[in-house]
């Protein structure tokens, strides 16, 4: 036996490993540990500055800069609530539509660009197939305009995060609560019915439902359809 | 066109089937063949033979994964052509890949030569399953697709030396794995 025998045997490895490489058009760029170190350092400095600035201020007031109003001075105690209220008004005024508490984008972890969800069904084509172990999950990207934290609950599958470098996957179960804005979701191996609609509900920090994401997949066409429904309407 | 639709064309024996297959997979197939053969003309012949192979085998076969199915045929044909063309003289990345994988085995006289190729493929599957995604990507790209280090560097953004180091460690891991599985006599 020699290296040639191994090369010959490589021909018949599992199809999924071949497809994984053949279909991966743009692998995630490898970033060195130095980059991550720099990023972590920058984050620590940013947090430090955020914590230090209020303490250095002369008065117990905060300045809120809005897009369409002049800066407004207000008391610290209710600054968050006030900021949120003003932000809501500004967004409503700027768009001349009802206030939307958050925007949601979804994408497949492997190769599709994030797509903003609306109340019209959006069909997205991607390599995401919950039945394949190479598909880590459906990415859900939240841009929350008023909430610092949120909770996601799903009636099917589970939430997970994964490290693209090491491939390590963390399973968060059916409830995910954090201040982060990106999380992955996938069906569990015990419930692989991809064509059964799944509802993911987004709750604000007070536990009130904000919106629901309804997802339905079509295994044969490798597509999924997602809809965002505002539960407050 | 979706793979499913292309397969349907093959099943209906439509002449469009091969054209659609070529349109979708020509670039990928040529890459696999050129990496192994290092020769455009031979690669084109192998890829065309592979299309004919798909025409002859589908139906009755219905590939679950058309990409992998086609690439395997291209690879097999390219390996055969490579052996025929070069005999002793090795060309392209393929020859270098073999030399690298030789490291994974003990001296040839101590290695069981009749080890079943199919069984070895299954062991390789198990070994690949244990690798993280990046390492598996590098290993399969290098030793299945016979990509050059330069191409791997372009597609991953990693430095060539870093890729060489990683692959060297993976090969060492493979050697250990094969020894544990008693592939060596």
């Amino acid at each position: 036996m020699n290296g040639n025998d191994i090369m010959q045997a490589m021909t018949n490895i599992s199809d999924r490993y071949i497809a994984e490489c053949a279909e991966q058009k743009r692998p995630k760029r490898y970033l060195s540990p130095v980059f991550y170190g720099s990023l972590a350092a920058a984050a620590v400095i940013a947090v430090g500055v955020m914590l230090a600035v209020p303490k250095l201020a002369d008065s117990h007031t905060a300045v809120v800069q809005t897009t369409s109003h002049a800066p407004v001075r207000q008391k610290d105690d209710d600054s968050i609530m006030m900021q949120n209220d003003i932000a809501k008004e500004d967004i409503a005024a700027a768009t001349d539509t009802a206030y939307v508490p958050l925007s949601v984008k979804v994408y497949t972890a492997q190769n599709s660009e994030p797509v903003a969800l609306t109340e019209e069904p959006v069909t997205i084509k991607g390599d995401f197939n919950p039945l394949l172990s190479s598909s880590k999950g459906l990415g859900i990207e939240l841009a929350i305009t008023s909430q610092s934290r949120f909770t996601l609950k799903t009636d099917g599958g589970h939430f997970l995060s994964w490290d693209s470098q090491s491939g390590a996957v963390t399973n968060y179960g059916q409830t995910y609560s954090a201040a982060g804005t990106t999380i992955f979701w996938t069906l569990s191996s015990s419930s692989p019915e991809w064509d059964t609609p799944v509802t993911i509900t987004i709750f604000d920090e007070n536990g009130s439902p904000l919106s629901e994401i309804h997802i339905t997949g079509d295994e044969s066409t490798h597509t999924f359809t997602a809809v965002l429904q505002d539960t407050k309407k | 066109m979706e793979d499913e639709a292309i397969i349907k064309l093959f099943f209906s024996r439509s002449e469009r089937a091969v054209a659609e297959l070529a349109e979708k997979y020509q670039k990928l197939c040529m890459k696999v063949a050129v990496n192994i053969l290092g020769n455009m003309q031979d690669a084109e012949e192998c890829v065309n033979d592979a299309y004919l192979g798909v025409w002859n085998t589908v139906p009755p076969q219905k590939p679950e994964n058309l990409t992998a199915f086609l690439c395997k045929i291209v690879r097999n044909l390219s390996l055969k052509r490579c052996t025929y063309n070069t005999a002793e003289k090795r060309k392209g990345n393929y020859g270098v890949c073999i030399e690298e994988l030789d490291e994974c085995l003990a001296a040839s006289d101590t290695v069981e030569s009749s080890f079943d190729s199919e069984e070895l493929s299954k062991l390789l599957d198990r070994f690949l399953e244990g690798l993280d995604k990046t390492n598996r990507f590098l290993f399969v790209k290098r030793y299945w697709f016979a990509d050059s280090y330069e191409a791997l560097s372009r597609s991953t953004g990693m430095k060539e030396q870093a890729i060489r180091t990683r692959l060297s460690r993976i090969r060492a891991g493979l050697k250990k794995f094969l020894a544990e599985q008693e592939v060596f006599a």
Side-chain angles (χ1 to χ4, degrees):
Chain A
M1 182 181 288
N2 55 27
N4 190 39
D5 294 320
I6 297 182
M7 282 296 275
Q8 296 282 355
M10 279 290 289
T11 303
N12 292 317
I13 61 171
S14 169
D15 285 0
R16 70 190 176 101
Y17 298 136
I18 300 163
E20 190 176 79
C21 291
E23 291 166 5
Q24 189 162 0
K25 295 185 180 74
R26 196 180 57 185
K28 289 198 179 290
R29 188 175 174 81
Y30 174 79
L31 297 170
S32 71
V34 175
F35 172 82
Y36 289 109
S38 307
L39 198 66
V44 168
I45 291 167
V47 169
V49 168
M50 285 168 66
L51 293 172
V53 165
K55 291 177 183 171
L56 295 173
D58 290 334
S59 64
H60 295 288
T61 58
V63 177
V64 180
Q65 178 69 56
T66 64
T67 53
S68 59
H69 290 81
V72 178
R73 284 187 178 277
Q74 54 197 250
K75 294 286 183 186
D76 264 354
D77 297 344
D78 57 356
S79 59
I80 294 172
M81 182 64 75
M82 290 295 288
Q83 284 177 35
N84 289 341
D85 289 345
I86 292 168
K88 288 176 184 177
E89 289 169 14
D90 287 341
I91 292 167
T95 60
D96 199 26
T97 57
Y99 171 64
V100 180
L102 55 80
S103 70
V104 179
K105 291 180 178 179
V106 295
Y107 58 98
T108 61
Q110 283 187 306
N111 65 350
S112 80
E113 292 296 320
V115 176
L117 289 188
T118 67
E119 293 190 356
E120 294 297 319
V122 177
T123 299
I124 300 157
K125 178 168 172 24
D127 286 342
F128 174 60
N129 182 341
L131 303 181
L132 295 180
S133 63
S134 58
S135 300
K136 296 298 181 206
L138 168 65
I140 299 172
E141 190 178 295
L142 303 172
I144 299 182
T145 52
S146 64
Q147 304 297 324
S148 56
R149 292 186 70 85
F150 62 89
T151 299
L152 293 176
K153 286 185 181 174
T154 178
D155 64 1
H158 62 269
F159 297 104
L160 67 138
S161 64
W162 62 287
D163 183 338
S164 61
Q165 296 302 316
S166 68
V169 175
T170 306
N171 188 334
Y172 293 102
Q174 291 197 302
T175 302
Y176 174 74
S177 180
T181 56
T182 300
I183 187 69
F184 291 90
W185 165 89
T186 191
L187 282 178
S188 304
S189 55
S190 57
S191 56
E193 297 84 11
W194 182 214
D195 55 352
T196 304
V198 171
T199 299
I200 297 171
T201 308
I202 305 165
F203 297 88
D204 66 13
E205 57 193 346
N206 299 318
S208 302
L210 287 172
S211 296
E212 290 177 349
I213 307 170
H214 300 280
I215 304 171
T216 312
D218 184 339
E219 195 187 335
S220 63
T221 59
H222 287 211
T223 61
F224 60 89
T225 303
V227 181
L228 182 68
Q229 186 179 342
D230 188 349
T231 55
K232 293 194 172 176
K233 282 191 174 178
Chain B
M1 183 178 276
E2 296 297 324
D3 288 352
E4 192 70 24
I6 295 174
I7 292 169
K8 277 183 184 171
L9 288 175
F10 275 102
F11 269 80
S12 62
R13 309 313 287 163
S14 164
E15 289 178 3
R16 268 183 60 217
V18 172
E20 293 290 349
L21 187 73
E23 188 179 329
K24 185 167 182 181
Y25 289 112
Q26 178 80 8
K27 198 174 168 186
L28 177 64
C29 291
M30 281 300 289
K31 193 178 171 193
V32 173
V34 169
N35 279 349
I36 292 170
L37 293 162
N39 176 323
M40 284 295 279
Q41 193 179 346
D42 284 353
E44 274 180 16
E45 284 179 21
C46 283
V47 170
N48 287 333
D49 287 348
Y51 296 151
L52 184 64
V54 176
W55 177 261
N56 289 332
T57 50
V58 180
Q61 286 194 54
K62 188 176 182 184
E64 283 183 20
N65 187 320
L66 186 59
T67 311
F69 183 81
L70 176 60
C71 285
K72 279 184 178 178
I73 295 176
V74 173
R75 191 175 195 269
N76 268 330
L77 291 172
S78 301
L79 293 184
K80 281 181 186 170
R81 176 65 67 93
C82 187
T83 308
Y84 173 80
N85 278 358
T86 59
E88 296 301 314
K89 189 177 148 191
R90 289 168 171 173
K91 283 184 181 176
N93 286 321
Y94 179 68
V96 185
C97 288
I98 290 174
E99 285 166 9
E100 288 175 359
L101 286 175
D102 275 337
E103 295 170 15
C104 299
L105 301 165
S108 58
D109 58 347
T110 64
V111 175
E112 188 180 348
S113 58
S114 60
F115 197 86
D116 182 45
S117 176
E118 197 176 324
E119 200 173 340
L120 188 55
S121 296
K122 286 179 184 167
L123 285 177
L124 287 169
D125 267 347
R126 280 176 50 200
F127 175 73
L128 290 170
E129 181 72 43
L131 294 179
D132 69 44
K133 195 167 181 178
T134 307
N135 283 350
R136 189 165 63 227
F137 178 84
L138 291 173
F139 191 86
V140 175
K141 275 288 195 185
R142 177 68 180 155
Y143 300 115
W144 202 97
F145 290 87
D147 270 11
S148 67
Y149 285 106
E150 189 188 353
L152 283 173
S153 176
R154 274 200 309 272
S155 62
T156 59
M158 294 169 71
K159 289 181 181 171
E160 278 189 43
Q161 189 53 46
I163 294 170
R164 285 177 194 276
T165 305
R166 269 200 188 217
L167 283 170
S168 172
R169 287 179 187 151
I170 297 169
R171 288 196 303 273
L174 176 60
K175 182 176 183 178
K176 189 179 170 199
F177 176 81
L178 292 176
E180 284 169 359
Q181 303 304 315
E182 299 178 347
V183 172
F184 305 148

